[in-house]
Amino acid sequence: MAAAKMSVAELEQFLREEFPQAFSDGDITIESADGQTCLLRRRFNERMLRPGGTVSGPTLMAMADFAMYVVLLSAIGPVGLAVTTNLSINFLRKGQPGQDVLAAARLLKLGKRLAVGEVNLLSGSSPDPIAHVTATYSIPNK
């Protein structure tokens, strides 16, 4: 895979303009993106929790999907219409309340029309993933 086609600053600007419903509130930050991997952080908020005090599945799925979108954009450039075609998640352990959620994504295969990647979701500073995701994105024709 080639070097990044968008820097973190370019990704942030693009996402604020083109996808503000997911990126404009400042809850998610892009810590790194290099065309092959990315690391995102979602600051803890009580709205992330489900009954029982664990981080909710929808929060984790959305974070993983967004991380895949970011790593893909970093690899192919500003292609706003790239879309998820498949996302599979395995919940491994409870995400801890009060802890940020980190999403470490990496592309496994980047083709002309499809990209496949994986995301490990982490809770705070623990090295043990709370969920593992595989996802496929469709890349539109230019």
Side-chain angles (χ1 to χ4, degrees):
M1 284 183 236
K5 294 206 174 155
M6 293 181 81
S7 68
V8 169
E10 291 167 331
L11 286 161
E12 289 172 342
Q13 180 179 350
F14 177 80
L15 292 166
R16 273 193 297 277
E17 292 171 4
E18 301 295 325
F19 201 17
Q21 61 272 39
F23 195 68
S24 66
D25 63 7
D27 285 349
I28 298 174
T29 57
I30 303 171
E31 297 198 351
S32 65
D34 63 11
Q36 296 177 20
T37 64
C38 77
L39 181 65
L40 274 57
R41 176 181 300 270
R42 180 165 181 184
R43 284 187 284 293
F44 176 77
N45 184 303
E46 293 287 328
R47 294 174 302 187
M48 295 167 59
L49 299 179
R50 65 177 298 264
T54 188
V55 177
S56 72
T59 296
L60 296 176
M61 286 183 269
M63 185 68 174
D65 191 36
F66 194 65
M68 273 297 302
Y69 189 56
V70 168
V71 73
L72 180 60
L73 291 177
S74 79
I76 66 173
V79 181
L81 295 178
V83 295
T84 310
T85 60
N86 184 58
L87 188 138
S88 176
I89 188 166
N90 292 297
F91 299 102
L92 304 174
R93 57 188 51 82
K94 180 179 177 176
Q96 296 301 313
Q99 299 294 311
D100 292 350
V101 173
L102 289 106
R106 75 180 178 111
L107 290 175
L108 300 173
K109 181 176 186 335
L110 178 59
K112 291 178 184 173
R113 300 278 298 143
L114 292 175
V116 178
E118 70 175 347
V119 182
N120 281 314
L121 295 159
L122 306 160
S123 181
S125 61
S126 174
D128 300 319
I130 58 175
H132 177 261
V133 173
T134 57
T136 304
Y137 259 73
S138 175
I139 304 165
N141 288 329
K142 293 186 177 189

